[in-house]
Structure formats: C-alpha cells, structure tokens
Amino acid sequence: MLKLSIGAFSFFNTMRAGKMDIFGYLESVKYRYRLDAVDLWNGFFAGQDDSGLVILPEEEEIRKIREAIDEKGLTVANIALDGVHLIDQDPDLRERLYQNALLHLRASEILGAKTVRIDICNNRTEEITEQEFDYIVNRYREYCDRAAEHGYTVGPENHMGAALNPHLLKRIAEAVDRPNFGILLHLKRWKPEFADGDAIVAPWVVHTHIDAKTVASGDIEVSIRALEQAGYDGHWAVEYNAKENQYAEIEWLLSSIRRKFYQMAEA
C-alpha cells in the first residue's frame, strides 16, 4: 500500500503570507488532500530568540496541536526539527543547541512522532573532523536510546553541508549501531558526485521527502527500487515549497507520485 504524506515546509510561503498556521496545515492534509499522515516541521509552531535559536511554545500549546492531530485521526509520520543540529562553529552555541534538542525531543514525544529528524550540521559546515564525528555518534546514540523508550526513530537528513555526502551518513549509521537510528532521505539531494547516494543509505532510511525536481527528472524509479529492495515500508512525503499556487502544486506532485508507483506496479 502506497503511504503518502506532505512535508509541512511545502507550505512555507503560504505560512509566511499569513494564510496558514499549523492547524490549517492539519486541516488541509486531512480534508483537502484526504491523507491520514502528516509530516510536521517545527518552523510552523516555533519562534526564534534574538540569537536565532528556535524556541518552542509552552507545552500547553504543543498539546493543543496533539489534540488536533488525534481529532483528525492523523499519524505523525515524521517531524523535521530545525535549530537543534549537532555541530556548530560556535562552541557555546553547540551546548545551547543540545539543550534545545532535548526540549524538541520532548515535544516530538508529546506529538506522537514516529520518526524525528535532527540534522548533523548547518549549511556552513562542509567537512566533519574526527572529533566532531565522535561527538555526532555519541549524541545520536543518546537520542536513539531515548527514542527506544518512547517508540520512535531519530537521525539525520541529507539536508545541507556535510550531510550531502552519503558515505558520511553511512559511516555514522554504522557507528551509531542502534535500532532506533533512522535517516530521513530527501531523494536525490546529494552533492553532484554522489549520484548513487540514495542506494548507499537505503538500509537506514525510515522516512522520505520527494520534491518536484526529482519527480520531473524521470529517474526517481531507481531510488524507489533501491529503497524497496532494502525493505523500506515508510511514507513517501512530498516536500516542495513552490513559489506560488502551493495548494495546486502539491496536488500535482501527489498525483505524479501516485502515477509513478502505479506505472512501476504494472511494469
């Protein structure tokens, strides 16, 4: 059975225009697109302090979101957490990011997320030192042990910076060596020299994001097959922040993905 979801970041421009909040997003996924899973992004309900650190609302507000999720019978397939990455050039900020990550993990548990994305680094970190590698592994082990107690997985996305190297993510996954470690794979989002990146990390993928460019490229089938061969059974979530007409663009992308899977099934 094809399981679809919509990454909340797909409505970033609609949110920025003041036309959608987190509750409108939940309504849209359930009633406009008739899906039963959501793909949360903390940017929809969190703010920032003067230093740019992502700040969550009070727990009462988080619980209101959970109530809305439950009322609609939705599953939180994933939550993507910005502002809690592991490695940062500022050593003082690194500790603050860690403390913020613990707060976000608590929020993710309240929301009932099945998979949680915490980035390795920001877009200014292109290489990881051995010391930083050890720090990353130990932090993910800590997070995974916590995740095991609450029934979810946690891990990175090939999102930006050093994380756009699939061999690094593979090495991290092997070193962490925890059943509750899982990668959020944004299909085909790698540095140009890593065309086979999706297949390299496939054994650890627990959630996916698919954008319009990947679907239009025509070679998405290779990635889908690689994931299926690795036993992937998670959601296929669209994440496409179109410049305008976002409702229609998401409908088109969902239909395109459905069509691709139907074609592959009939082949």
Side-chain angles (χ1 to χ4, degrees), residues 69-80:
I69 290 168
D70 290 343
E71 287 169 357
K72 297 170 181 59
L74 293 166
T75 296
V76 181
N78 176 262
I79 183 167

Side-chain angles (χ1 to χ4, degrees), residues 175-193:
V176 173
D177 192 26
R178 293 289 194 277
N180 286 76
F181 178 87
I183 292 172
L184 164 52
L185 171 64
H186 190 123
L187 270 67
K188 301 295 185 183
R189 189 188 181 108
W190 304 106
K191 293 179 180 178
E193 61 266 34

Side-chain angles (χ1 to χ4, degrees), residues 6 8 19 26 41 48 51-52 60 72 81-82 94 98 117 179 204 230 237:
I6 302 172
K19 297 179 179 180
L26 298 175
W41 167 54
Q48 289 187 333
S51 69
E60 179 182 356
K72 297 170 181 59
L81 302 178
D82 286 350
R94 180 187 294 187
Y98 168 62
R117 181 267 269 166
W204 298 278

Side-chain angles (χ1 to χ4, degrees), residues 7 28 30 42 50 53-54 61 67 74 78 89 94 99 106 124-125 129 138 153 173 186 196 230-231 242 252-253:
S28 294
K30 178 66 176 183
N42 63 338
D50 293 339
L53 194 70
V54 176
E61 297 302 312
E67 289 174 5
L74 293 166
N78 176 262
Q89 291 80 4
R94 180 187 294 187
Q99 296 300 327
R106 170 63 178 161
R124 298 187 300 276
T125 304
T129 67
N138 289 330
T153 64
H186 190 123
D196 58 346
W252 164 78
L253 189 51

Side-chain angles (χ1 to χ4, degrees), residues 197-222:
D198 292 356
I200 291 171
V201 302
W204 298 278
V205 173
V206 293
H207 192 65
T208 61
H209 280 170
I210 306 173
D211 58 32
K213 181 180 178 181
T214 300
V215 171
S217 70
D219 62 351
I220 189 175
E221 182 174 340
V222 176

Side-chain angles (χ1 to χ4, degrees), residues 80-150:
L81 302 178
D82 286 350
V84 296
H85 53 278
L86 304 184
I87 298 298
D88 196 275
Q89 291 80 4
D90 183 341
D92 294 331
L93 180 57
R94 180 187 294 187
E95 176 60 24
R96 294 175 63 204
L97 288 167
Y98 168 62
Q99 296 300 327
N100 205 28
L102 297 180
L103 295 175
H104 275 77
L105 286 175
R106 170 63 178 161
S108 301
E109 291 155 6
I110 292 172
L111 292 168
K114 303 301 182 184
T115 66
V116 176
R117 181 267 269 166
I118 292 180
D119 281 325
I120 293 170
C121 60
N122 57 28
N123 60 7
R124 298 187 300 276
T125 304
E126 291 294 336
E127 299 292 337
I128 298 296
T129 67
E130 286 305 306
Q131 183 180 21
E132 290 171 335
F133 179 84
D134 290 341
Y135 179 86
I136 289 168
V137 169
N138 289 330
R139 277 290 179 243
Y140 278 138
R141 284 177 176 171
E142 174 189 343
Y143 296 161
C144 288
D145 291 344
R146 174 173 178 155
E149 297 178 5
H150 295 275

